[in-house]
């Protein structure tokens, strides 16, 4: 199995609801360093998992909908705890939609899985992995 | 599949038995930077894999039994080569016991797997992964 | 010259005022991984620059005033652009006050300088360095 | 499942063929930081996945065939796009051959899988994983 | 003293002349992860050392002249050993020229120094620092 | 000013004396990731600060006297707290002696300063810098 990973980041504000979150119930924020890994069994005709340039651009486009925003004000996340693990899944699903729509080119039909890791600090990160 | 990782570290002394270990047969030591990853299929009611605060505290408690100790003098490791990979398994098993005992709260019943990585330097690390 | 560095982090929300900030004029947030370096010419009687435990605790206490907060709502930062470089200076000054008040113990009188680095992502960070 | 990882690096020149590569069609180069992970279900008699010293030496030997070379001039890669993901597979396969030939000692028969990650920058890396 | 650092990278081919370089006399290549640090005594009116966006763009423009090239074929480096430390100085000097030409805006007149670090692997890097 | 840095590591056991050290008074250990930086005003005839190969070898030789040892048993450190900052100075001084003895070649006479950083974990490190 082959995989290729590209990295970018986003900076957001949000707050959490529930006593388990303690002081994180207050409005605060995070930098998420985002690693997206694309998996496929065989390489394409160019010997690639996916074109790094295209993959990086699609990731940047997906992150633009989060970047420099207060997620508490985004209709998509109204009343939802935007935990690191939940955001990893949203980023993964949005990338999966773009791949299905051809955003990574016709060769990307060979992709089998996708994982998204959001690093919220030097001591904590979360991953969501799904099939394509 | 979702996962969440927390990081901590421990500093121990030990020695190895067997010619394969060369100079590491002498009493020496290591800093292990410890990454614990918790896996589950679906998030809990708070949109979490596990509460980061609880997970970090349980990890710190488990590492306290190793930290600032000479493992050669610990009854649990008498006559045993406390290799990086073996210690990763011991940390994982002790965390698994704590999870089973409710240390990560009732929501942690959804956890499926656990992996523990011990980084002994910038050029070597070991991982043990097990089901829960 | 000797130095010792300890690392911690904080997660905050804020917004910027001024066209130069572009989309960062919106309310957003950041994780700052914070490295504090203490400098001194000679080691103390214990062969230390400063006690790591005390230094880490003082840093944690200083960061607690920022952590999990919206800096736009903090009276200290009213109408001020809380840029990474400016926050590095505030953290450094508050640590310097604590050192002067004896927070790092009597041996800390030998400290000459202090630098604080705030890493806002994997591709950008800022530092403020001052004398003590 | 246990695993052990060792890290080394190689510095090579190469060029790519195909419009998808854009400016990378020109002769350029890369440092690949190489992480090799060995997997096995149970530890050997010394409580090891594999001897770190032997593993590091075998990896260094394999990388020597690439290091400080222009891959465009190597017969093995004539007319082939030596992408990061393709090189990861070549390194993995050559290591697998050496393991089969006894390069990691008789205990290495317990190894089940091997993965090789080549990091080409701080924002992109590729992995190939195979059975042994 | 304040400083701000931005990171980017470039991928080049080159060779060295002189026995001291051993196998690096052959045509090979490198990824350089490039960190540029801007120093100034006081922040500008926006509380910045320099605009991160502008600084990142100027760095990208400077690196474009090196990126995906064989430095042995570049007239600027004809007959010159393009060592990591020498390239750090060239990047720094070119950035200094752009700053003097107003590339970082009028506020950048407050900048006092510049340092450029080129990381060629996980175990070696070089820095050049100069006044502005 | 130019500088070049090389990285290696060592793994040692030791204990501390003094109540300030708390549990670190027990015999324990550490991995120190060691970064040595060489400074000089002008490059040598090969456009180098220092030959990376020679510098790495000298560093490895210096670290061999510490590596895989219990520092409490080493005559050089009898009754001495081998703190991270103190060990950084010892490594720096031993490297300085080797440079003076010609270990880095005749061109190394241009070196002006040396700094040694010992990273004991992902959250703490110490540096000693001296003139040559």
């Amino acid at each position: 199995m082959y995989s290729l990973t590209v990295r970018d980041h986003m900076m957001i504000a949000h707050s959490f609801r529930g006593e388990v979150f303690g002081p994180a119930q207050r409005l605060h924020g995070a930098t998420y360093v985002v690693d997206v890994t694309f998996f496929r069994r065989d390489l394409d005709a160019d010997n690639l998992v996916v074109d790094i340039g295209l993959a990086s651009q699609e990731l940047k486009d997906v992150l633009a909908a989060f970047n420099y925003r207060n997620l508490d004000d985004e209709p998509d996340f109204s009343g939802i705890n935007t935990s690191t693990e939940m955001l990893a899944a949203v980023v993964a699903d949005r990338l999966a939609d773009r791949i299905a729509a051809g955003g990574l080119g016709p060769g990307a039909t060979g992709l089998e899985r996708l994982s998204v890791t959001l690093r919220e600090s030097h001591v904590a990160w979360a991953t969501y992995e799904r099939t394509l």
Side-chain angles (χ1 to χ4, degrees), chain A:
Chain A
M1 179 66 72
Y2 293 88
S3 67
L4 180 109
T5 305
V6 293
R7 173 171 284 187
D8 202 334
H9 72 289
M10 61 180 178
M11 305 179 85
I12 59 92
H14 62 169
S15 62
F16 294 122
R17 298 192 301 184
E19 279 186 32
V20 66
F21 293 100
Q25 294 175 86
R26 299 194 298 250
L27 182 61
H28 63 287
T31 305
Y32 292 115
V33 175
V34 183
D35 294 336
V36 179
T37 303
F38 304 90
F39 297 84
R40 66 188 295 162
R41 194 151 303 273
D42 300 299
L43 298 181
D44 71 11
D46 294 309
N47 263 357
L48 298 179
V49 168
V50 71
D51 173 28
I52 285 188
L54 274 181
S56 300
Q57 187 56 54
E58 289 293 302
L59 175 56
K60 190 171 289 299
D61 289 351
V62 165
L63 299 185
F66 302 85
N67 213 358
Y68 298 120
R69 292 178 196 277
N70 177 4
L71 301 186
D72 293 356
D73 291 343
E74 296 295 307
D76 283 357
F77 304 124
S78 178
I80 292 176
N81 276 328
T82 51
S83 65
T84 307
E85 41 272 65
M86 180 271 187
L87 289 172
V90 176
V91 170
D93 289 345
R94 293 187 180 180
L95 278 166
D97 288 348
R98 284 169 169 262
I99 292 168
L104 291 185
T109 51
L111 293 172
E112 297 187 6
R113 278 185 296 137
L114 186 69
S115 83
V116 173
T117 297
L118 266 59
R119 298 178 190 273
E120 69 174 64
S121 76
H122 63 304
V123 291
W125 52 94
T127 297
Y128 178 71
E129 181 171 324
R130 53 160 284 172
T131 53
L132 288 174

